[in-house]
Amino acid sequence: MCGIVGYIGNQNSVPILIEGLKRLEYRGYDSAGVASINLGKSDLIKVKGKVSALEEKVKHEQLQGNIGIGHTRWATHGAPNETNAHPHFNSDKTLYLIHNGIIENYSVLKTALISKGYNFNSETDSEVLVHLIDSFIKKGNDLFNSVRYSLNEVEGAYGICVIYSDEPDKIIVAKKGSPLVIGIGDGENYIASDVNALIAYTSQIVYLEDDEIAVVYKDKFQARSISDEEIVKEVHEVKIALEEISKGGYQHYMLKEIMEQPESVRNSMRGRLLYEDGISKLGGLEGFDNRIAYSRRIVISACGTSWHAGLVGEYMLEQYAGIPVEVDYASEFRYRNPVIQPDDTMIFISQSGETADTLAAMKEAKRKGALVLGVCNVVGSSIARESTAGVYIHAGPEIGVASTKAFTSQLVVLSLITLLAARKRNLSLIDGKKIIEEIDSLPDKIARILKINDQIEHIAEKFVDAKNFLYLGRGYNFPVALEGALKLKEISYIHAEGYPAAEMKHGPIALIDENMPTVVIAPKDSVYDKVLSNIEEVKARKGKVIAIANEDDDQIDKLVDHVIKVPQTIRMLMPILTVIPLQLLAYHIAVKKGLNVDQPRNLAKSVTVE
Ligand code: F6R
């Protein structure tokens, strides 16, 4: 959600903070702010809007200092305006705090602080923390202990950075439920909510765990538990090249990430296909292969696009491995009392590896004794670290808020898990080899689809003014219909719904008229004829149809208004191809509407609050 950065060293912190915030802006972008301490005197600048506005204001007002903190906000409590922007501060303007997360008991704390005479400027939950810390300082405690005592009173999730002009040699950081990393430099140190903000400066990263608090000086750091025990932290070498997080000449990250898919999908399967044995090799699952293959049941849990990937995984695992599968929204899983048995396997899918609901569901599954696997993109993320075993999708950094390449890579990894489990059970060598050939051919097929980008852009032009869209698919392509609709609504703000094609006649058909475009995913598979019938039903009501069909399908052309052709593959892998035109369609419609596709309104990349 919100992005956090901090710097302490000999340089002016402010340009470093601004640079870091730009790399984090995909996490939240409704307001931003920085605070720094210069020669014992602190100062603060905040703006409503984007980091570019903050950059301008900072230049104009010439803010500087060797120690500073910066924040880009995604509003939870209080409107996105300058007052609610972080950093928050005490009444003396000596203490500054940035926060990512939600303080659940903030109203109780706020009432108590008001009764002690504290005044609040903002409507945020975060401001409570700064006054609470101030109240401990006023009792004679140092900054470290004041933060620690305050956090002991707090319920909820936080990643925080605190600076204090009376102790200008340190930044205090702490984490619970929201990500926070320390970047180790040479005579200088950095803090961020996401490694991406730091890779221009250092590859030496320390991941703070929940209930840990650290004092970061310019030449060292000390980590302790919230109950004040010393903790020795490992420094990790993180290998992300700066080019991987730049736009690389594309107009938007989203387009770059869509176009990267031949490569990202290749990276997800690289070194993992054992053709001779017709099986996959997943290092992160070593020692658990049989346990997974002979699970009584597999439960997949995730949110949003990752949940859609899980739905495809259900079809894959049931068809090939013959294991019963359920797919659950992580947010629902965590608040039910799900029946989980020790011989169940749970797979948690998350691009960011930081989604609060998924992380909480994972912890609950662990408590209930299931084998807990993670399928993540971000190396070292909380979900990756929390899982018992798992597989990285290796899609590379995904910055565009709408998930694209992570989805196709998640599907590749799910197909590899399916192949592993299926070969351990009943799948023949010959069928295993056939699946491997098909997986291996995906990057070339994706590249073929990307070549018709112009044609898809042309179709998009005709639907810019549509107010609603319906997406239909059957079997493996039902989750693709959901994903296509999600992509469209989140970046173009056009209302869109995905449905299993056969469900249309049970309700949504009432919506169809000449103003309601329907996207139908209709590859030539065992349900093709049934999907054609659904198309006829739409056409009979004057609906406009855009079909996603196979290259060798000439029959469909005369039935529909527009057709986008994709190569053929086995059913299990078809979603990896059919989703790509839907990503491009959503992208072009949003761009033609003049919208910021990389930073759609109200959204943030990494949903670290409930
Ligand atoms: C949609 C999108 C979101 C995420 C969801 C889960 O384009 O990006 O729906 O898929 O917030 O995020 P992760 O996969 O990071 O857990």
Side-chain angles (χ1 to χ4, degrees):
M1 308 254 74
C2 307
I4 281 184
V5 282
Y7 172 84
I8 180 162
N10 295 322
Q11 302 186 58
N12 179 10
S13 64
V14 179
I16 296 170
L17 299 175
I18 297 285
E19 195 52 39
L21 289 178
K22 281 186 188 163
R23 299 209 185 278
L24 292 182
E25 204 170 19
Y26 67 98
R27 296 182 70 100
Y29 31 81
D30 58 45
S31 51
V34 285
S36 68
I37 302 173
N38 191 18
L39 304 172
K41 205 176 150 312
S42 51
D43 215 344
L44 165 79
I45 293 184
K46 305 203 273 188
V47 294
K48 175 175 189 271
K50 298 203 183 298
V51 176
S52 52
L54 180 68
E55 188 174 24
E56 275 309 304
K57 199 166 172 190
V58 157
K59 267 191 213 145
H60 191 248
E61 298 187 13
Q62 299 190 342
L63 183 72
Q64 58 175 329
N66 300 137
I67 164 171
I69 55 177
H71 188 271
T72 174
R73 180 169 185 249
W74 185 87
T76 57
H77 294 62
N81 58 31
E82 197 176 310
T83 313
N84 289 332
H86 301 219
H88 293 290
F89 48 86
N90 62 350
S91 57
D92 313 337
K93 290 207 167 175
T94 49
L95 184 67
Y96 293 86
L97 171 137
I98 50 177
H99 169 228
N100 173 26
I102 290 185
I103 306 303
E104 285 167 4
N105 60 339
Y106 84 99
S107 83
V108 180
L109 295 171
K110 189 169 176 173
T111 310
L113 285 162
I114 289 172
S115 73
K116 287 183 193 156
Y118 279 91
N119 292 319
F120 282 74
N121 294 301
S122 77
E123 303 151 281
T124 66
D125 54 328
S126 311
E127 194 186 351
V128 159
L129 271 176
V130 80
H131 296 307
L132 192 57
I133 296 167
D134 179 85
S135 71
F136 282 105
I137 289 178
K138 297 264 156 61
K139 282 184 199 151
N141 298 292
D142 63 3
L143 179 62
F144 172 77
N145 279 316
S146 298
V147 174
R148 206 168 62 75
Y149 297 150
S150 301
L151 294 178
N152 277 319
E153 295 194 7
V154 155
E155 284 162 25
Y158 53 79
I160 56 165
C161 291
V162 191
I163 56 174
Y164 180 39
S165 56
D166 285 6
E167 295 184 38
D169 61 335
K170 60 179 78 89
I171 304 178
I172 308 287
V173 298
K175 164 184 160 35
K176 183 176 194 169
S178 302
L180 210 124
V181 298
I182 304 171
I184 308 298
D186 188 7
E188 54 192 355
N189 286 319
Y190 307 83
I191 294 137
S193 48
D194 183 325
V195 176
N196 280 354
L198 304 186
I199 59 175
Y201 306 109
T202 179
S203 58
Q204 305 295 304
I205 300 294
V206 175
Y207 294 95
L208 222 60
E209 299 293 343
D210 281 357
D211 295 316
E212 289 181 357
I213 173 166
V215 192
V216 183
Y217 301 93
K218 68 178 182 183
D219 49 3
K220 64 178 180 189
F221 74 94
Q222 286 158 354
R224 302 188 75 80
S225 71
I226 213 87
S227 47
D228 208 21
E229 288 118 18
E230 194 178 332
I231 294 172
V232 179
K233 299 295 294 179
E234 205 181 322
V235 180
H236 297 261
E237 168 88 23
V238 171
K239 295 189 187 88
I240 301 175
L242 211 48
E243 309 82 72
E244 286 185 66
I245 56 165
S246 68
K247 282 192 201 155
Y250 285 95
Q251 197 189 346
H252 296 104
Y253 282 111
M254 183 178 175
L255 185 60
K256 176 184 175 236
E257 287 157 10
I258 293 173
M259 292 298 174
E260 272 173 359
Q261 287 177 105
E263 180 74 12
S264 53
V265 156
R266 174 67 69 208
N267 288 339
S268 307
M269 66 180 82
R270 200 181 296 284
R272 292 171 163 177
L273 298 173
L274 301 183
Y275 182 77
E276 285 311 313
D277 299 322
I279 198 168
S280 56
K281 180 177 184 301
L282 296 166
L285 299 186
E286 239 163 56
F288 295 95
D289 316 15
N290 287 325
R291 170 75 178 76
I292 296 164
Y294 292 99
S295 301
R296 187 184 69 98
R297 186 177 67 138
I298 292 179
V299 182
I300 302 176
S301 190
C303 303
T305 289
S306 299
W307 180 75
H308 295 156
L311 290 177
V312 179
E314 176 179 23
Y315 285 91
M316 291 177 174
L317 282 157
E318 290 196 338
Q319 182 184 355
Y320 286 96
I323 307 170
V325 180
E326 278 170 39
V327 186
D328 226 337
Y329 282 117
S331 54
E332 290 299 315
F333 180 88
R334 64 182 289 199
Y335 288 117
R336 287 205 322 272
N337 185 15
V339 181
I340 297 292
Q341 317 231 334
D343 47 0
D344 285 341
T345 293
M346 286 214 57
I347 304 178
F348 292 90
I349 308 174
S350 175
Q351 186 287 125
S352 62
E354 301 295 348
T355 302
D357 285 325
T358 311
L359 189 57
M362 182 174 223
K363 289 181 179 165
E364 179 59 11
K366 256 186 157 177
R367 281 192 286 270
K368 286 188 178 281
L371 170 63
V372 166
L373 309 181
V375 172
C376 292
N377 192 29
V378 177
V379 175
S381 56
S382 303
I383 291 173
R385 281 179 286 137
E386 190 69 35
S387 52
T388 307
V391 189
Y392 282 118
I393 63 171
H394 293 314
E398 190 181 68
I399 312 259
V401 164
S403 187
T404 52
K405 65 174 180 171
F407 179 70
T408 45
S409 286
Q410 287 165 345
L411 296 189
V412 170
V413 164
L414 287 166
S415 75
L416 298 178
I417 296 174
T418 300
L419 181 61
L420 185 70
R423 285 286 290 129
K424 296 265 166 199
R425 291 169 64 111
N426 290 330
L427 192 77
S428 69
L429 175 62
I430 205 122
D431 286 341
K433 285 185 172 183
K434 171 74 184 146
I435 291 175
I436 288 186
E437 274 169 18
E438 289 294 332
I439 295 175
D440 194 41
S441 71
L442 287 169
D444 290 347
K445 291 177 180 171
I446 294 172
R448 239 152 73 196
I449 302 169
L450 295 174
K451 285 202 181 112
I452 58 167
N453 179 32
D454 288 353
Q455 183 208 334
I456 298 170
E457 182 175 359
H458 208 65
I459 296 172
E461 221 162 71
K462 304 192 184 323
F463 293 95
V464 174
D465 296 323
K467 298 280 176 282
N468 299 286
F469 258 85
L470 189 61
Y471 284 70
L472 302 176
R474 277 179 187 250
Y476 279 99
N477 284 298
F478 158 53
V480 178
L482 297 179
E483 176 60 9
L486 179 64
K487 287 293 86 93
L488 186 71
K489 64 186 138 192
E490 65 185 335
I491 58 169
S492 75
Y493 320 144
I494 296 174
H495 170 243
E497 293 201 48
Y499 262 91
E503 277 291 307
M504 182 180 61
K505 58 186 172 295
H506 298 291
I509 198 163
L511 297 169
I512 292 182
D513 62 15
E514 61 277 22
N515 299 317
M516 173 82 165
T518 303
V519 178
V520 186
I521 305 144
K524 275 215 166 154
D525 58 17
S526 56
V527 289
Y528 175 71
D529 289 334
K530 296 193 186 306
V531 175
L532 286 194
S533 306
N534 299 134
I535 291 176
E536 300 275 15
E537 288 157 12
V538 175
K539 290 307 299 172
R541 285 153 186 89
K542 298 197 174 71
K544 295 264 185 309
V545 174
I546 305 166
I548 313 299
N550 282 132
E551 286 170 345
D552 60 355
D553 182 355
D554 300 327
Q555 191 185 348
I556 204 161
D557 298 46
K558 47 190 177 300
L559 272 184
V560 302
D561 301 272
H562 304 279
V563 57
I564 302 168
K565 301 267 175 96
V566 300
Q568 185 58 276
T569 184
I570 53 174
R571 283 185 75 196
M572 157 166 110
L573 302 175
M574 210 61 222
I576 299 173
L577 302 181
T578 50
V579 77
I580 288 170
L582 304 188
Q583 297 169 344
L584 284 168
L585 186 69
Y587 171 79
H588 288 302
I589 290 178
V591 170
K592 285 179 193 308
K593 285 172 83 79
L595 299 171
N596 182 348
V597 297
D598 281 337
Q599 295 174 348
R601 71 182 180 203
N602 305 340
L603 291 174
K605 183 69 183 161
S606 181
V607 187
T608 53
V609 296
E610 277 186 49

